[in-house]
Amino acid sequence: RDRDSPLDMDISFGSVTDNCVIDNFGRIASRRGFQAYTDNPEILGGNPLVSVEEFLTGTGDSYLFATGNGNIYLQNRGTPDFNLVPLTLPGGYVINEDNWQIVGLNDKCFFVQAGHQALVFDPAVSTTAVALWGEYPPGAPGNPNCVHAAFGRLWLSDFDDNKTIVYWSSLLDGEDWTDGGTGSLNTEEYWPSGFDEVTAIGAHNNFLVLYGKRNILLYTTTADVNNTISLTDTVEGLGCMARDSVAPIGEDYLFIDATGVRSLARTIQEKSVPIGDISRNVRSDFQQALRQEPTDNIKAVFHVEDSFYVCFLPSNPITFVFDTWSPLPEGAARVTQWNGVTVRCGTRLSDRTTLFGGRGGLYSYRGASDIVLDTDNANEPIVSSIPFRYVSHPLDFNGPANLIFPKQVDVTLVGGLQGELGLEWAYDYSEDFSYKAKNITATSVPSQWNAELFPAGFGAEWNDPENEPGTVGVLGYWTSEGLNLNQLKYNIWGSGRNVKVGFRSNTTGSVVSIQEINVQALQGRLL
């Protein structure tokens, strides 16, 4: 935990959690793999996808948009391929940045970004092109950078030349800004602690939430906005620094303030807005990473199945992952880290899956291997294991004045069909680890090949269920019957006043979870 003495921490806290998550049973586990979903990554010219969002029509049609390399793409999903297809832009239109915010309203999808005239995708007109908006708010001070659909309308703010005014559209028509039901308000009159700027818009529990950099305004309204909009509550001293960090997690919203990850939750009985410090345990490291990152690049997404909020900071080699399933007593989340991932955005789809975007296009979060396509070799899949590592804080067994002589470390391991689990340990705050490895055995029989979850366009040889699990070139993953339980015992040596114990593994076959760790040690006394 940040700014706590390592020796004062519970054994459940770790000093290193590389490529880890907290699984559904509260155990430290290896993350799943990022497996290629886009089968023509060369179209991006080596650039990453920056934004991704799904758009649903009233008839149930789904369109998956991704932006990057100066284009807006439509991602096909198996009909007949998994290609990214660039949409036709208005004549002479040039995209200089790819940080689009994408929102759907009443069978049209809207794209806004600072310095760019807003665009609209209307499948009733064309499914291969985007167009300029038919109408802009009269007298709008430039182009909007912030859009949200709520209460049957589009809401716009963060304009090029005015970052305090908020406009709302006609009811169920995001291109009508002159009808009698349209209007605007100037938040400059309502910030509780001086001047502020709108950075993001949200809606939660019948509140319209306007996030500033240092304050938050909460309004109540109905579909009759002009006659019902009313300021209900304010939060002073906390705001949202990054538009694309706002993510709903069901009963709450998470967002990133200059101080870290925060939660916005309304206590219905008290009609108040408590703020939770989600990133308290890694505050210093996280704030340092935020200072190095342009706010437009900061993205976040909530993955429902594993209940984590993941924050992407492209300039930082570490991706921070916050577990929301079981917060700690002080309200903070348990935090793990992903190292070396090339994804930088994500979205939740209507089919209850999460897709991530980055270099190489879109990726599904599946299996126990990373699979990317080699654009220099006919898009052949490159399969790599996931380097999972966990290290405890220094342990003194409640005897800081005693020497410790560890003799054996026992670990109960769940998952992992093959490979090895390495134990590492070091004494007296040293980073000079000793290392010992043991093989992971397949105590359960691999039973199901999950190739159907992946694009068919890679060729049948990559989806062949006769391939052995872990074979290089296999696209997919195995599940196993039972728990595939391993109980490994390591005899170790050395002594000191405290010891750090850790594990590392290059996971293959299936993810690895640490069920239990026991350290058997003798204690002596310093004279």
Side-chain angles (χ1 to χ4, degrees):
R1 293 186 295 186
D2 192 43
R3 299 182 183 177
D4 285 351
S5 169
L7 289 176
D8 291 337
M9 294 185 190
D10 187 90
I11 191 173
S12 61
F13 288 93
S15 60
V16 177
T17 55
D18 291 346
N19 288 312
C20 295
V21 295
I22 308 298
D23 72 9
N24 293 334
F25 297 94
R27 304 172 300 207
I28 284 287
S30 60
R31 68 166 173 85
R32 299 187 186 276
F34 293 109
Q35 308 212 347
Y37 193 88
T38 298
D39 60 12
N40 64 333
E42 70 281 355
I43 199 172
L44 296 172
N47 297 300
L49 291 179
V50 177
S51 301
V52 57
E53 192 64 56
E54 183 186 30
F55 163 57
L56 290 173
T57 68
T59 58
D61 294 327
S62 172
Y63 300 88
L64 183 57
F65 297 108
T67 69
N69 196 32
N71 287 289
I72 298 174
Y73 298 96
L74 187 63
Q75 170 71 59
N76 288 328
R77 286 174 278 178
T79 53
D81 51 38
F82 285 76
N83 281 344
L84 283 173
V85 179
L87 296 178
T88 302
L89 302 175
Y93 195 95
V94 177
I95 298 176
N96 298 314
E97 299 288 342
D98 296 305
N99 288 302
W100 293 99
Q101 189 168 29
I102 308 169
V103 169
L105 176 68
N106 196 25
D107 290 349
K108 293 181 182 179
C109 191
F110 301 88
F111 301 76
V112 305
Q113 180 183 189
H116 294 71
Q117 190 169 351
L119 300 172
V120 60
F121 174 84
D122 185 352
V125 176
S126 173
T127 59
T128 61
V130 289
L132 299 175
W133 283 14
E135 188 178 284
Y136 242 42
N143 301 292
N145 186 52
C146 183
V147 62
H148 191 73
F151 305 102
R153 303 173 188 270
L154 278 191
W155 300 77
L156 300 178
S157 191
D158 193 9
F159 289 85
D160 294 335
D161 301 319
N162 187 314
K163 300 184 182 299
T164 63
I165 194 167
V166 178
Y167 288 88
W168 58 86
S169 73
S170 178
L171 188 63
L172 298 180
D173 191 347
E175 290 188 278
D176 184 355
W177 297 91
T178 57
D179 194 25
T182 63
S184 66
L185 63 86
N186 194 338
T187 61
E188 190 173 2
E189 304 171 11
Y190 303 106
W191 298 116
S193 60
F195 179 79
D196 207 341
E197 302 174 352
V198 176
T199 56
I201 304 175
H204 183 59
N205 279 1
N206 291 323
F207 281 121
L208 176 72
V209 185
L210 302 181
Y211 297 89
K213 290 182 177 179
R214 295 172 298 279
N215 303 273
I216 301 174
L217 304 177
L218 289 95
Y219 289 83
T220 55
T221 188
T222 66
D224 183 13
V225 176
N226 286 0
N227 295 318
T228 61
I229 191 165
S230 173
L231 181 65
T232 302
D233 204 350
T234 63
V235 178
E236 182 178 352
L238 290 173
C240 177
M241 65 180 294
R243 180 197 69 186
D244 296 325
S245 69
V246 180
I249 63 170
E251 75 286 355
D252 199 357
Y253 267 77
L254 297 185
F255 61 94
I256 295 178
D257 177 68
T259 60
V261 178
R262 298 283 180 168
S263 71
L264 172 66
R266 182 169 73 95
T267 304
I268 297 176
Q269 293 85 352
E270 298 180 0
K271 302 293 183 183
S272 63
V273 182
I275 298 295
D277 188 353
I278 302 299
S279 58
R280 174 180 175 180
N281 290 339
V282 291
R283 182 181 298 158
S284 297
D285 289 343
F286 192 63
Q287 288 178 357
Q288 182 179 356
L290 290 178
R291 287 192 292 269
Q292 298 172 354
E293 195 69 50
T295 56
D296 287 345
N297 290 345
I298 299 173
K299 313 285 182 180
V301 65
F302 179 63
H303 179 54
V304 175
E305 282 73 19
D306 293 317
S307 299
F308 62 67
Y309 171 88
V310 54
C311 176
F312 298 106
L313 308 170
S315 299
N316 195 65
I318 296 174
T319 298
F320 292 86
V321 183
F322 300 88
D323 174 63
T324 66
W325 179 253
S326 54
L328 297 168
E330 67 271 23
R334 293 182 291 178
V335 188
T336 56
Q337 299 175 343
W338 294 347
N339 290 24
V341 299
T342 59
V343 296
R344 57 175 296 177
C345 61
T347 191
R348 179 72 175 175
L349 303 183
S350 57
D351 64 1
R352 297 180 295 175
T353 60
T354 303
L355 289 181
F356 294 92
R359 293 192 181 277
L362 291 176
Y363 296 87
S364 56
Y365 184 65
R366 308 279 187 185
S369 300
D370 289 335
I371 302 178
V372 300
L373 300 186
D374 186 358
T375 56
D376 294 328
N377 186 24
N379 287 342
E380 289 292 313
I382 301 174
V383 182
S384 58
S385 58
I386 299 169
F388 157 69
R389 187 183 183 214
Y390 169 81
V391 179
S392 72
H393 281 288
L395 308 173
D396 64 5
F397 299 90
N398 297 319
N402 294 347
L403 281 175
I404 300 168
F405 299 87
K407 297 301 181 183
Q408 183 171 293
V409 177
D410 303 333
V411 57
T412 301
L413 183 72
V414 178
L417 294 174
Q418 61 181 20
E420 63 180 26
L421 182 74
L423 171 74
E424 52 186 348
W425 68 99
Y427 296 99
D428 297 335
Y429 310 106
S430 172
E431 295 297 318
D432 185 15
F433 286 91
S434 301
Y435 181 82
K436 191 173 186 179
K438 285 183 175 290
N439 291 329
I440 301 172
T441 58
T443 60
S444 297
V445 178
S447 61
Q448 181 180 352
W449 177 252
N450 292 276
E452 73 279 3
L453 299 172
F454 300 90
F458 293 108
E461 67 273 16
W462 305 116
N463 293 310
D464 184 1
E466 297 302 321
N467 284 305
E468 293 298 322
T471 302
V472 174
V474 171
L475 185 67
Y477 67 98
W478 289 87
T479 56
S480 60
E481 297 174 348
L483 294 177
N484 197 55
L485 192 68
N486 279 265
Q487 294 177 319
L488 305 178
K489 300 180 184 296
Y490 299 82
N491 294 321
I492 65 174
W493 55 88
S495 64
R497 284 176 293 176
N498 58 71
V499 61
K500 288 190 290 188
V501 178
F503 297 94
R504 65 171 66 207
S505 177
N506 291 322
T507 66
T508 55
S510 69
V511 297
V512 172
S513 298
I514 303 297
Q515 175 69 42
E516 185 179 67
I517 302 171
N518 288 314
V519 181
Q520 301 180 27
L522 299 175
Q523 287 184 304
R525 183 173 297 277
L526 294 175
L527 300 178

